[in-house]
Amino acid sequence: METTAAQTQHLPYVQVGNVYAVPSLHGRVRFAGLVRRAFFALRPDAIAVELPPTLDASIRAGIKRLPYLSVVGYQDFDEALEPVQQILPITPDDSLCEAVRLGVTFGVPVHLIDRDVINYQGGPVRAADDYLIDRIGLEAYWRAVERTLEPERKEQEPDSQDALREAEMAAHLRELAARHERVLFVCGLTHLAPVLDRMGGAEPAPPGAVTQ
């Protein structure tokens, strides 16, 4: 994807202190391009990614196979706690995969900081066409989406899967920010605001994450 003059007027990240975030829609090539632009503009000391560390070795193996495509298969459970097989595509058009690829290629430490949860029930994300990012910039686009999410977030239970995931990511991201000058953080569009809010406190990672 070529970088146009309009794109270069906008930063490819949202900066909060020494954390430079790329909130993304998964599997959209425009966000993978933003991660690449942010990486080369910042030359970060560390990269944090919204993926669970239990899949680290498998994800890295898939990244090393690119441009050949891979899927990471893992066992999850449905609502009745019956085992089901899940897959995670390793593709160059995904922002998370691109963040890991850049770190592996250029020797920047990559940290998978998400919580590993059982029977995750993620909902669809309602967002305008990401083409608008070229016109208004990533931060304005993210803030516009965030405003539509505020009513739903107020109804979120404090022990919901997303709330626990965001607490986990915030705790790890806080630690990374304390140790590094520039941390590139790549996560889903809907998770950035809660993670940044929680980073301002001193809440540790919640107990009980899946570790196998």
Side-chain angles (χ1 to χ4, degrees):
M1 180 189 299
E2 294 185 4
T3 301
T4 66
Q7 287 175 295
T8 58
Q9 296 174 4
H10 304 293
L11 294 174
Y13 50 77
V14 176
Q15 181 181 359
V16 178
N18 63 335
V19 173
Y20 302 81
V22 183
S24 307
L25 292 173
H26 302 306
R28 301 283 186 91
V29 69
R30 180 166 277 102
F31 293 96
L34 288 168
V35 169
R36 183 175 178 83
R37 283 179 55 204
F39 179 87
F40 287 111
L42 296 168
R43 295 292 180 172
D45 308 295
I47 299 172
V49 183
E50 181 207 309
L51 288 169
T54 47
L55 300 181
D56 187 283
S58 298
I59 289 170
R60 289 175 185 267
I63 291 295
K64 290 179 180 179
R65 292 191 68 248
L66 289 172
Y68 298 104
L69 304 184
S70 306
V71 293
V72 173
Y74 60 97
Q75 184 171 283
D76 198 356
F77 298 86
D78 61 19
E79 294 181 354
L81 294 183
E82 294 293 329
V84 294
Q85 191 73 14
Q86 300 282 15
I87 61 169
L88 173 68
I90 305 298
T91 58
D93 62 345
D94 184 78
S95 60
L96 304 181
C97 294
E98 178 64 1
V100 177
R101 188 193 70 80
L102 287 166
V104 169
T105 301
F106 293 95
V108 179
V110 178
H111 303 266
L112 308 190
I113 65 170
D114 200 357
R115 183 182 180 86
D116 200 344
V117 295
I118 292 175
N119 183 28
Y120 179 65
Q121 301 294 323
V125 179
R126 295 185 295 275
D129 193 319
D130 53 68
Y131 172 75
L132 284 174
I133 294 173
D134 294 347
R135 300 300 180 187
I136 66 174
L138 175 62
E139 183 164 356
Y141 179 85
W142 164 65
R143 292 191 183 279
V145 173
E146 183 58 29
R147 284 193 293 272
T148 69
L149 296 172
E150 288 177 356
E152 297 178 16
R153 190 164 287 132
K154 290 178 181 178
E155 299 177 359
Q156 186 183 67
E157 296 294 331
D159 60 348
S160 69
Q161 288 182 322
D162 279 329
L164 292 173
R165 290 179 60 210
E166 289 152 3
E168 180 104 9
M169 287 189 279
H172 293 306
L173 192 58
R174 189 187 308 115
E175 294 175 0
L176 290 172
R179 302 201 316 262
H180 299 280
E181 291 185 8
R182 295 177 303 281
V183 179
L184 177 61
F185 176 43
V186 184
C187 67
L189 199 71
T190 63
H191 295 298
L192 179 58
V195 169
L196 294 180
D197 287 344
R198 290 175 179 273
M199 273 193 68
E203 183 182 5
V210 178
T211 57
Q212 62 181 11

